[in-house]
Amino acid sequence: VEQALADYAMLLPRIKAKFGLSDSSPTIAFGGSYGGMLSAWMRLRYLALVDGAIAASAPMKFAVGSPATPGFYEAVSLDLQGADPACPERVRLAFSQLLALARPDDASGEADASRKVLAHRLRLCDDELSRGQVQHLLAWARNAFVVLGMCDYPYPASFLAPLPAWPIEAACRLMKQDPAEHDALGGLPDSQRGQSGSTVSLARSLRGLPRRRPGCF
């Protein structure tokens, strides 16, 4: 955040110079969501550069690491619980199983074999996962639930990803499709479709459309 604000502070005088504006020309920062948060923080941090800010849909108290209650990820968990009381625990179990097999800080041959099992369990098209790919996988899975929470509208939406109405409820339903009660990891790929260009969209899976390649993601 600090770096982004500093970048804007460097950019503003150059924009004014490029368009022949004086240093005293009024400047209003504006944005939505994260951009809205930056707009408000820009006004607070650089009073001499920004005369006002319009922060639309800016969850200032939900910034990651803030002391707000609930926190950002706690708010996402509450979304899951609202859709299905059993869903948060199912997701936590899936992530526990994911981390146990991913072993992102372990470069041993045993860990490589464990990550190969993970690739099979997640039905990935590649047989193996490198440590770098595992880090990306963990971030992708986490961010997918964040997107589902932010776009949990009662109607289909596609501005962040092609999603159906009430995507949190749809994801929870898919997570529970795996018949094995203690194998939450098996339902994780189904709940996550639509969050990356390398996977089939969640909306597609819900509408019964064919996958990019049968049997894998």
Side-chain angles (χ1 to χ4, degrees):
V1 170
E2 289 292 336
Q3 184 61 60
L5 297 179
D7 289 344
Y8 281 120
M10 291 286 292
L11 181 63
L12 280 172
R14 298 189 181 190
I15 291 177
K16 287 186 175 183
K18 179 179 179 179
F19 291 97
L21 302 173
S22 68
D23 291 337
S24 60
S25 298
T27 302
I28 306 296
F30 65 92
S33 190
Y34 174 60
M37 297 163 74
L38 288 179
S39 298
W41 288 326
M42 190 73 186
R43 170 60 179 159
L44 293 171
R45 179 67 177 81
Y46 294 98
L47 292 172
L49 292 177
V50 177
D51 298 282
I54 300 174
S57 300
M60 303 295 292
K61 292 184 178 180
F62 278 169
V64 175
S66 73
T69 303
F72 184 85
Y73 293 114
E74 286 82 0
V76 175
S77 296
L78 289 174
D79 275 348
L80 294 170
Q81 186 172 356
D84 183 336
C87 193
E89 189 56 37
R90 188 73 172 173
V91 173
R92 292 188 189 100
L93 179 59
F95 272 91
S96 295
Q97 295 172 349
L98 178 64
L99 286 167
L101 289 172
R103 300 170 67 168
D105 299 320
D106 192 341
S108 67
E110 183 181 345
D112 289 338
S114 179
R115 287 187 284 270
K116 192 168 185 176
V117 172
L118 176 62
H120 175 73
R121 292 279 300 280
L122 292 178
R123 307 192 300 281
L124 301 182
C125 294
D126 294 329
D127 294 332
E128 297 181 358
L129 279 169
S130 67
R131 289 175 64 194
Q133 289 173 321
V134 159
Q135 293 286 3
H136 179 79
L137 174 66
L138 294 172
W140 168 79
R142 179 202 64 192
N143 291 342
F145 281 104
V146 171
V147 169
L148 292 174
M150 292 192 298
C151 298
D152 197 26
Y153 304 130
Y155 48 81
S158 59
F159 70 96
L160 286 181
L163 297 171
W166 301 117
I168 285 281
E169 184 177 323
C172 289
R173 189 164 58 248
L174 287 168
M175 284 283 290
K176 294 171 66 175
Q177 280 185 353
D178 197 293
E181 180 179 354
H182 300 294
D183 184 21
L185 186 60
L188 188 62
D190 296 307
S191 72
Q192 304 283 305
R193 297 175 197 162
Q195 313 313 315
S196 167
S198 63
T199 60
V200 181
S201 73
L202 175 60
R204 269 192 168 189
S205 69
L206 293 172
R207 294 168 187 163
L209 298 180
R211 298 174 180 174
R212 175 174 57 86
R213 176 178 160 190
C216 69
F217 300 97

